[in-house]
Amino acid sequence: MSNANDTRVTLRPSTVDDSAEITRLATIDSAPVPVGRLLLAEVDGELRAALGVIDGGVIADPFVPTSALVELLRVRSRSERRREGRSGPSTRRRRKS
């Protein structure tokens, strides 16, 4: 049984198709779009916040509470960076003989 207060939160990477919505969000937040790859937070299909994975920059809808969404994006971003660090190519330098 569904409650009228049920909401669906989705965290996902941005795609080219999100450009217009990301620009709209930056405009209403009076902030620049974060640089590089973005993680998005949607509530019931509506974009509410975006986080720059590289620079940590945030844009968010100033007309609704978004601090919890931004924190979720930060946690997700940290988790992805750790996972990529472990599964990606080795960044250790080899000793010269």
Side-chain angles (χ1 to χ4, degrees), residues 42-86:
E42 297 175 329
V43 176
D44 293 330
E46 297 288 326
L47 180 60
R48 296 291 172 85
L51 172 82
V53 175
I54 303 297
D55 68 358
V58 173
I59 53 175
D61 188 332
F63 303 111
V64 295
T66 56
S67 60
L69 292 173
V70 171
E71 184 57 28
L72 285 172
L73 287 170
R74 287 184 175 131
V75 169
R76 173 79 175 263
S77 177
R78 283 191 300 266
S79 173
E80 286 187 6
R81 284 193 313 259
R82 278 193 297 268
R83 186 173 59 241
E84 288 170 0
R86 280 191 222 133

Side-chain angles (χ1 to χ4, degrees), residues 2 10-11 14 17 20 23-25 28 30 34 36-37 39-40 42 45 56 64 70 72 75 81 84 86 88 93 95:
S2 181
T10 304
L11 304 180
S14 65
D17 294 337
T23 300
R24 179 196 64 78
L25 187 62
I28 65 171
S30 300
R37 191 169 58 118
L39 285 177
L40 307 181
E42 297 175 329
V64 295
V70 171
L72 285 172
V75 169
R81 284 193 313 259
E84 288 170 0
R86 280 191 222 133
R93 293 183 181 179
R95 279 190 185 175

